[in-house]
Amino acid sequence: MIIKKNDDRDLLSTDVIGSSVARSKRWLVAIVRICHEKKTSERLTKMGIENFLPIQQEVHQWSDRRKVVDRVLLPMMIFVHVDLQEQKEVLTLSAISRYMVLRGESTPAVIPDQQMLRFKFMLDYSDETISMSTSPLAPGEKIRVIKGPLAGLEGELVNVNGKSKVAVRLTMLGCACVDIPVGCVEPVSENGDLRD
């Protein structure tokens, strides 16, 4: 076999070329039995299936003590990043009943990768409590956070009960919102460039 410097195909044996098909992964929402989210996430991880359980730490104050507790942001839901084979494997767990589907559809609803990246970024870096708004929010101005722990996050600037919030929309699930001072954001155009 002659190997040419700039032809990577010659580095592969002939039985490999064309035999592997790229299996694309998509973010789906698995519906889980109540109070089984954390254990189910652990089981999925052990199975080698990428998953994301949105959890936020909160401080609970009693008269005699304070305690930091983990709160599941979306009860009874786990995001799974799966290909078609893994999609079937997820449903073998007894705690998972089904996938979330769009009204009138029979196939699972797909959460776009960009929405998931923004949502995960918000959860990882926000100092403020994140709330989920399931009631329809009017579209806000497209913005990018320029100051603080959420710097770099793109979303919409919305007004909820008189407070400015950055919102990240999630298909079918509503908006993840967090308080932010207006001075910490700048407008961006539809193509992602800063507006004058």
Side-chain angles (χ1 to χ4, degrees):
M1 181 167 136
I2 299 171
I3 297 178
K4 298 173 191 162
K5 278 187 178 179
N6 295 328
D7 193 356
D8 292 336
R9 289 178 300 158
D10 288 337
L11 298 175
L12 298 172
S13 64
T14 53
D15 62 339
V16 174
I17 295 175
S19 66
S20 77
V21 177
R23 298 201 282 181
S24 62
K25 293 193 173 200
R26 314 171 299 162
W27 283 104
L28 306 177
V29 180
I31 306 300
V32 185
R33 267 192 304 180
I34 191 96
C35 298
H36 282 72
E37 299 93 350
K38 291 178 187 174
K39 285 185 179 179
T40 303
S41 176
E42 290 169 9
R43 295 222 20 228
L44 287 167
T45 301
K46 284 180 184 172
M47 292 168 66
I49 295 175
E50 182 182 354
N51 67 89
F52 175 62
L53 178 62
I55 291 178
Q56 190 160 29
Q57 290 192 330
E58 294 180 342
V59 177
H60 287 214
Q61 178 75 48
W62 288 274
S63 59
D64 61 336
R65 61 191 161 100
R66 291 172 55 134
K67 184 177 181 184
V68 177
V69 296
D70 288 340
R71 176 178 67 98
V72 175
L73 196 59
L74 293 164
M76 299 177 63
M77 295 182 201
I78 293 179
F79 295 93
V80 291
H81 196 221
V82 293
D83 59 28
L84 289 173
Q85 179 62 38
E86 292 169 327
Q87 184 177 327
K88 294 173 188 168
E89 289 176 40
V90 168
L91 293 176
T92 63
L93 296 179
S94 60
I96 296 179
S97 60
R98 61 185 172 84
Y99 288 107
M100 185 174 280
V101 296
L102 293 170
R103 188 181 312 268
E105 302 267 329
S106 59
T107 57
V110 176
I111 307 292
D113 289 346
Q114 196 63 21
Q115 289 180 6
M116 284 302 299
L117 284 171
R118 290 176 178 161
F119 182 48
K120 289 169 88 173
F121 182 87
M122 182 185 274
L123 272 169
D124 286 346
Y125 294 102
S126 179
D127 292 337
E128 302 292 324
T129 301
I130 294 171
S131 61
M132 288 300 296
S133 175
T134 54
S135 58
L137 282 177
E141 182 180 15
K142 301 266 188 239
I143 54 93
R144 179 180 300 129
V145 179
I146 56 171
K147 294 180 191 169
L150 291 176
L153 176 68
E154 290 187 12
E156 296 174 39
L157 185 64
V158 295
N159 197 314
V160 180
N161 300 328
K163 287 189 171 183
S164 295
K165 294 183 182 275
V166 171
V168 172
R169 291 188 190 271
L170 294 169
T171 301
M172 294 185 45
L173 300 174
C175 293
C177 299
V178 65
D179 292 345
I180 192 138
V182 178
C184 291
V185 301
E186 62 188 5
V188 293
S189 65
E190 290 298 318
N191 63 7
D193 297 332
L194 295 177
R195 283 208 315 242
D196 295 327

